[in-house]
Amino acid sequence: MNWSFVLSNAITLACIYGTLAIGISLTWSSLGLVNMAFGFIFAFSGYGAWLASVNIAPQPAVVMVAGILTGALGGLIVCLLAFIPIHDKPNFPLRALIATLAISLIGNQALLWYFGPRAKSLPRLFGSWNADIFGVVVTSDKLGASLSAVVLLTLILLWMRSSRRGLEIRAMMMNPHAASIVGIGVRRTGFYVMALTGSLAGLASVLLAQTYYVAPFSGITPMVKGLSIALVGGLGSVPGAVIGAVIIGLNEALTSTLLGGQYVLITQFLLIILVLLVRPRGIAGLLDKAREA
């Protein structure tokens, strides 16, 4: 077995799906919302990037920025429709789960109606060269996708550590009740969180669509994988999402190489069940305990 190929695939998948999973964890830990509309935001961002490549310029920076901004717009739409109107209602988590799932279904059907069933393809963002890193040959799309995800996540984490809005989001993640008592607005923070996590979904969409395609329902599988990673790592934990992304990415790369791509979801859910049997809160789901206290 070509271990270098498996390892490079695992790292690339971990970076892309981990970006999505961190967005899911941030939304849950700060707003108490499991956003099932991430699949719609993912596909919506892909079409935004495709429209920019066709109508503005097929330049990598233009396509990537368009995908990220479209993802942020999708996050704001979900915030306006599924968070602001119901966040102070009884059984908010369940209501929000159903509302975001409805937005995802309606949004995907709207994309199908407007763009049609034919898949769209994005231009290659990072060229077609290869690089030899410590004896491992890595293609340009894998290296570019991994570096882009790491750079954006680093910038976001630095922003959350240094800016006032970022500190407000961290306060909401640590203790939402105490944060609201000291005057941190839930609605205002919700806009920032949803735009931020939507932009992460937009980046993941662009990075994955340059290899695969853009289609009305192309976000469903990535959303399932992102949610799986968040569950394995522990909902609400960013480090847990990173660990979960590495585990799920390695599992997918190994399963695809040894058994075939059709068995990836089977082994993935078996792995999730195994992890949750040992650690019901996920690998690093300590923040859930703080939320429930």
Side-chain angles (χ1 to χ4, degrees), residues 4 6 58 97 104 137 147 160 175 192 209 214 220 226 251 255 270:
S4 61
V6 173
L97 185 76
S104 183
V137 178
L147 290 177
M160 290 180 65
N175 194 322
Y192 286 104
V214 179
I220 294 177
N251 171 74
T255 304
L270 288 175

Side-chain angles (χ1 to χ4, degrees), residues 203-267:
L203 176 66
S205 174
V206 172
L207 296 179
L208 203 61
Q210 62 161 340
T211 305
Y212 295 96
Y213 54 85
V214 179
F217 298 95
S218 60
I220 294 177
T221 301
M223 188 200 68
V224 171
K225 292 182 184 296
L227 191 58
S228 303
I229 290 170
L231 287 172
V232 168
L235 272 174
S237 170
V238 174
V242 175
I243 297 170
V246 173
I247 293 174
I248 295 295
L250 190 59
N251 171 74
E252 180 164 337
L254 280 172
T255 304
S256 298
T257 304
L258 295 175
L259 302 176
Q262 67 271 30
Y263 297 103
V264 167
L265 286 179
I266 296 175
T267 59

Side-chain angles (χ1 to χ4, degrees), residues 34-287:
V34 178
N35 188 1
M36 299 299 288
F38 265 117
F40 160 67
I41 297 174
F42 188 95
F44 185 55
S45 306
Y47 280 108
W50 175 75
L51 286 174
S53 70
V54 172
N55 296 310
I56 301 177
Q59 301 298 324
V62 173
V63 175
M64 196 171 291
V65 169
I68 292 173
L69 292 179
T70 310
L73 176 62
L76 291 175
I77 292 172
V78 175
C79 183
L80 286 171
L81 296 178
F83 177 71
I84 298 297
I86 61 175
H87 84 277
D88 55 352
K89 305 292 185 192
N91 298 320
F92 164 70
L94 182 59
R95 288 171 182 253
L97 185 76
I98 295 171
T100 54
L101 183 60
I103 290 173
S104 183
L105 295 173
I106 295 171
N108 287 333
Q109 290 295 332
L111 292 176
L112 177 63
W113 168 77
Y114 190 80
F115 292 101
R118 180 173 294 182
K120 317 292 185 186
S121 58
L122 294 183
R124 296 182 70 88
L125 301 179
F126 306 105
S128 55
W129 45 269
N130 297 331
D132 190 327
I133 302 176
F134 302 113
V136 178
V137 178
V138 184
T139 58
S140 58
D141 58 334
K142 291 179 182 176
L143 187 60
S146 303
L147 290 177
S148 301
V150 170
V151 168
L152 184 64
L153 284 174
T154 303
L155 291 176
I156 288 176
L157 291 177
L158 288 175
W159 176 78
M160 290 180 65
R161 286 180 178 276
S162 58
S163 70
R164 178 181 176 83
R165 302 304 178 201
L167 292 175
E168 288 180 355
I169 294 174
R170 291 180 64 197
M172 290 284 291
M173 292 172 64
M174 296 174 69
N175 194 322
H177 300 293
S180 62
I181 290 174
V182 298
I184 297 176
V186 176
R187 288 184 173 85
R188 185 180 59 195
T189 308
F191 277 110
Y192 286 104
V193 171
M194 296 301 284
L196 187 66
T197 55
S199 66
L200 288 173
L203 176 66
S205 174
V206 172
L207 296 179
L208 203 61
Q210 62 161 340
T211 305
Y212 295 96
Y213 54 85
V214 179
F217 298 95
S218 60
I220 294 177
T221 301
M223 188 200 68
V224 171
K225 292 182 184 296
L227 191 58
S228 303
I229 290 170
L231 287 172
V232 168
L235 272 174
S237 170
V238 174
V242 175
I243 297 170
V246 173
I247 293 174
I248 295 295
L250 190 59
N251 171 74
E252 180 164 337
L254 280 172
T255 304
S256 298
T257 304
L258 295 175
L259 302 176
Q262 67 271 30
Y263 297 103
V264 167
L265 286 179
I266 296 175
T267 59
Q268 180 177 312
F269 282 108
L270 288 175
L271 181 63
I272 293 171
I273 292 171
L274 181 64
V275 170
L276 294 182
L277 282 175
V278 178
R279 291 184 66 85
R281 296 178 188 276
I283 294 172
L286 301 178
L287 290 179

